Amino acid sequence: MIAVQTQLRSAGASAGGWVRRSSYLQKWVVLGTVIGVIAGLGAIAFYQALQIAGDLLLAGIGGYVVPTAAAEGGAHGTGHFTRWWAIPLVVALGGLLSGLLVTKLAPEAEGHGTDAAIDAVHRNPRMIRARAVVVKMITSAITIGSGGSGGREGPTAQISAGFGSLLARTLDLKPEDGRIAVSIGIGSGIGAIFGAPLGGAVLAADIVYKDDFEVEALVPGLVTSIVAYTVFGFAEGFSPMFGYAASGYEFNQPVQLVWFAVIGIVAGLVGLAYSTTFYGVADLVKRLPGNTIVKPAAGGLAVGLLALAIPQVLGTGYGWVQISLTREGLLDIPLWTILLLPFARIVATALSIGSGGSGGIFGPGMVIGAFTGGAVWRVLETFAPGVPHSPAPFVIVGMMACFGSIARAPLAIMLMVAEMTGNLTILAPAMVAVGIAYLIVRHFDRTIYRSQLANRDEAVAARLKQGLPLLGRVPVTEAMAVPRLVLHEDDRLADAVDRLSTAGIPGAPVIDSQQRFLGSVALDDLQVLAAKDPGGTLRRRVDATAPSTDTAATLDQVIDALPATVHWLTVLDDQRQVHGIVAFSDIVRAYHRALRADARRMSRVATSAGIQDVQVGAGSPLVGHRLDEQVLPDGVIVVAVRRADAMLLGLGAVHLEAGDLVTVLVRPDQQGAIRPLFDGDAVTAQRTAAADPGTHPS
């Protein structure tokens, strides 16, 4: 075995060397093809596992067969419950089995896998474990196959993203290449399982940010997605998931734009409700007593009871979307069910996945959007002019607008839904609905994927903060210096040049008559201006875009505010008056001082400290706090945090979570206060807080 491992490592090192020497085209054709093959095979494996689980659990034990999409046969299902009493029990059983496997084998497989993959892109593209991928596939098949409301994209995304992570580790890819490998894994896995390769390629570049686009992932994503789609299609067919829906639709009545705008408004609000409810339930479940095995079972039981009234909440729901694409099918569903179904699906998904079950939230989001569009059609169809005879255009646009907005990936979702329904002609009027829905969601700055960052600049800053966590603990006031020179807007250009040259500085802040900061000036620029107009003043020569920060900022925020071509900025107080100047050299010196102070603190504590392992309880006031927030009393230093099978260093950027096993160095006088603080013992914690108010976070 050791010999085999040695050979594999040698082969990986050799392949990694080839990748690093290869051109961009060679590298991503090879890596993209390999990731695409795994994505396609992973999609096939999960698709088959889901079919088996559904036949065994919901159909076999529960006696209920859900409708299927056109690409899966387009069956209408049983239509009624033959053993209604078994439905809640089967869904609860699925939650119980899923919770048991996740808790015992891979806790990080809990919830929806796409968000975990996005987190890996930003934090560490090598962090996805192979075990988590396997557990995710099995538990998601059980959760959804038993009737839980979830999507099949989460496991497929994690399979291919996990393989991209494995390549990053094995081939020792550069960080930027590792991030691309995981990103295109996400897109290709989702694109394959939904039969939407172009949408999957764009999704790889679109989904990791809320308001930006990872251009570097687009071309590799095209290679990976088409390979994954080809592999999956060879086994399962190449037909669009929902057939060629709305194939006869033509946009030829401008009044329809009004109704598509209505869909956009409603879909945006429903998307906000989806995100708020899902994470509200997930956060509530974490705070409730009980272990992670029982909670998914309780959530499944609640979903099963809800399904007795609204059976459309069971499983993926794609078959019900297929039915709603036809006039007869949608009219056969009672109006009250159509109106309630988007919200019932939201609740069912939150209970199934947010309680600790396993599955995707992408698919349910599109089902929610489909019935949002269907509900708008049912209401408008009876009286509004220009409403299409078929509900298909409204259902399709509802899918695009609802999930495209809350996933903050409107372009990718539009393309995916168009491919899934075999209809590109709907894109023109759909842009109105998607644009309005996206603006609504963006106004509230919400997303269904919490791991998304705003843009590439924020991603760079986050990686810097993670690598140098002390930056977030040092206030700018400890690094700044008193400015050697502050100029006034009425100063003459020639005088300003003389004063800057005498002080030997490249620039200075400029203030107005009220001592408020206006901007800054640079010596090089002023010398050119003064030669042309020596008697002119600084008033119209000030750079109002010059960077500044406030006295409450920390060094990581200062670095984030510094443009690449500027090496200093002005520190302002609440009245925008100049409080100091901080240069990059000041930041470096302050960081070194903080490092030395931490080393001295460690040496003082370590001389008499003992080591304790304490677990963070669900009721601990430390849950959710970062280590650099100084939530622990003096004399306590966190050495490491064990979370599931992962070991994290005790860095400032680490958030404490319930269940974490924390190794701490503790001085003898603090040993009695530590365990109740971590356990969350209310009585002891109150006494400790009274004796030492600094023990607890405010």
Side-chain angles (χ1 to χ4, degrees):
M1 179 61 109
I2 295 176
V4 172
Q5 291 176 340
T6 302
Q7 291 176 352
L8 289 175
R9 282 194 294 268
S10 177
S14 177
W18 179 86
V19 168
R20 287 187 291 275
R21 292 189 303 270
S22 299
S23 67
Y24 178 87
L25 179 62
Q26 288 176 320
K27 175 172 60 181
W28 287 114
V29 166
V30 173
L31 292 181
T33 300
V34 174
I35 294 173
V37 170
I38 297 300
L41 293 175
I44 294 170
F46 180 70
Y47 183 81
Q48 293 297 327
L50 187 57
Q51 298 278 42
I52 293 170
D55 292 342
L56 178 64
L57 296 172
L58 191 60
I61 301 176
Y64 180 71
V65 178
V66 297
T68 57
E72 301 165 357
H76 280 245
T78 52
H80 63 280
F81 296 126
T82 57
R83 292 189 290 275
W84 65 266
W85 51 268
I87 298 301
L89 299 178
V90 170
V91 187
L93 175 63
L96 182 67
L97 293 174
S98 175
L100 179 64
L101 292 173
V102 166
T103 302
K104 298 299 183 183
L105 298 179
E108 67 266 42
E110 176 186 330
H112 53 106
T114 307
D115 205 46
I118 295 172
D119 185 49
V121 172
H122 293 307
R123 285 206 299 133
N124 180 7
R126 304 183 180 203
M127 67 186 287
I128 303 176
R129 295 191 305 158
R131 180 194 295 183
V133 172
V134 176
V135 172
K136 182 73 177 179
M137 183 174 70
I138 296 172
T139 55
S140 296
I142 292 172
T143 299
I144 302 170
S146 64
S149 177
R152 61 194 189 190
E153 83 293 334
T156 54
Q158 201 160 27
I159 290 169
S160 45
F163 184 72
S165 184
L166 177 64
L167 287 180
R169 293 194 301 271
T170 305
L171 304 182
D172 193 24
L173 298 180
K174 293 186 293 185
E176 55 268 31
D177 288 340
R179 288 191 287 272
I180 292 175
V182 176
S183 294
I184 63 179
I186 297 172
S188 61
I190 295 176
I193 199 75
F194 284 139
L198 179 57
V202 176
L203 189 71
D206 204 6
I207 200 169
V208 294
Y209 300 119
K210 289 188 284 188
D211 299 312
D212 209 338
F213 200 79
E214 190 64 76
V215 179
E216 291 80 1
L218 184 57
V219 173
L222 291 171
V223 175
T224 307
S225 287
I226 190 60
V227 172
Y229 171 70
T230 303
V231 172
F232 181 79
F234 184 77
E236 304 296 342
F238 293 96
S239 299
M241 183 173 175
F242 296 114
Y244 294 92
S247 56
Y249 172 75
E250 293 183 6
F251 173 62
N252 52 22
Q253 298 186 53
V255 70
Q256 290 183 355
L257 291 180
V258 176
W259 311 134
F260 285 118
V262 171
I263 294 175
I265 294 171
V266 177
L269 296 176
V270 171
L272 290 173
Y274 183 25
S275 176
T276 302
T277 304
F278 181 84
Y279 286 111
V281 170
D283 293 340
L284 175 62
V285 168
K286 287 182 179 178
R287 295 195 297 268
L288 291 175
N291 60 41
T292 52
I293 299 175
V294 175
K295 289 178 181 179
L301 180 63
V303 172
L305 293 173
L306 176 62
L308 296 181
I310 306 178
Q312 290 86 354
V313 301
L314 292 172
T316 61
Y318 305 145
W320 289 108
V321 174
Q322 186 71 57
I323 291 172
S324 72
L325 287 167
T326 64
R327 181 182 180 89
E328 297 75 15
L330 193 59
L331 289 175
D332 281 345
I333 302 174
L335 178 60
W336 70 269
T337 302
I338 295 293
L339 296 176
L340 287 180
L341 189 50
F343 305 101
R345 260 284 167 183
I346 289 173
V347 172
T349 306
L351 291 171
S352 298
I353 312 303
S355 65
S358 190
I361 56 176
F362 187 116
M366 289 200 295
V367 176
I368 292 164
F371 279 97
T372 298
V376 172
W377 183 84
R378 281 290 297 267
V379 172
L380 295 178
E381 188 265 341
T382 56
F383 68 89
V387 174
H389 178 75
S390 168
F394 278 39
V395 172
I396 294 171
V397 171
M399 283 193 278
M400 295 176 177
C402 183
F403 197 72
S405 62
I406 199 59
R408 303 295 284 267
L411 178 60
I413 303 303
M414 285 179 66
L415 291 173
M416 289 193 75
V417 174
E419 289 179 284
M420 292 163 64
T421 55
N423 193 325
L424 294 175
T425 60
I426 199 72
L427 288 177
M431 288 190 288
V432 174
V434 175
I436 291 174
Y438 179 79
L439 290 175
I440 291 172
V441 171
R442 192 178 188 277
H443 174 75
F444 291 96
D445 193 24
R446 302 302 297 271
T447 176
I448 199 68
Y449 296 119
R450 281 181 166 178
S451 294
Q452 285 177 328
L453 297 180
N455 49 48
R456 284 179 286 182
D457 289 339
E458 184 179 337
V460 172
R463 289 194 289 272
L464 174 66
K465 192 168 184 177
Q466 180 182 343
L468 300 172
L470 268 180
L471 286 174
R473 288 169 47 186
V474 182
V476 68
T477 51
E478 293 186 10
M480 70 183 188
V482 176
R484 285 194 247 170
L485 178 63
V486 176
L487 298 172
H488 193 277
E489 63 175 337
D490 292 328
D491 289 342
R492 295 191 316 123
L493 294 174
D495 292 341
V497 169
D498 290 341
R499 295 174 67 187
L500 286 168
S501 299
T502 301
I505 53 179
V510 180
I511 58 174
D512 63 11
S513 58
Q514 303 297 320
Q515 307 297 308
R516 290 176 302 213
F517 176 73
L518 292 177
S520 68
V521 290
L523 176 58
D524 292 342
D525 295 336
L526 291 184
Q527 287 173 332
V528 176
L529 294 170
K532 298 178 180 178
D533 183 17
T537 65
L538 296 178
R539 181 166 297 161
R540 295 187 179 180
R541 309 300 184 184
V542 176
D543 179 10
T545 66
S548 65
T549 189
D550 60 78
T551 54
T554 52
L555 292 188
D556 62 316
Q557 295 169 322
V558 173
I559 291 178
D560 191 29
L562 273 172
T565 57
V566 178
H567 303 292
W568 66 278
L569 53 72
T570 309
V571 183
L572 308 176
D573 62 16
D574 293 339
Q575 305 301 317
R576 288 193 61 78
Q577 295 186 347
V578 176
H579 201 71
I581 295 290
V582 61
F584 195 79
S585 57
D586 298 322
I587 295 173
V588 173
R589 283 193 292 270
Y591 190 75
H592 285 168
R593 287 198 300 269
L595 284 174
R596 289 193 294 270
D598 260 23
R600 288 194 297 271
R601 177 169 167 261
M602 175 70 78
S603 64
R604 286 199 304 270
V605 173
T607 53
S608 60
I611 294 181
Q612 285 191 26
D613 286 331
V614 286
Q615 190 162 31
V616 181
S620 172
L622 304 176
V623 172
H625 287 273
R626 293 162 47 109
L627 295 180
D628 61 9
E629 293 178 13
Q630 299 182 0
V631 294
L632 296 172
D634 289 337
V636 179
I637 294 177
V638 175
V639 178
V641 178
R642 185 177 182 85
R643 181 170 301 156
D645 289 337
M647 182 66 75
L648 309 174
L649 293 177
L651 301 176
V654 173
H655 288 79
L656 291 177
E657 298 180 2
D660 286 348
L661 186 63
V662 183
T663 301
V664 292
L665 281 174
V666 190
R667 282 203 318 253
D669 60 314
Q670 292 290 352
Q671 289 181 0
I674 286 303
R675 195 165 296 279
L677 176 61
F678 278 85
D679 290 344
D681 184 330
V683 176
T684 309
Q686 288 175 1
R687 291 174 182 169
T688 306
D692 182 4
T695 300
H696 289 269
S698 55

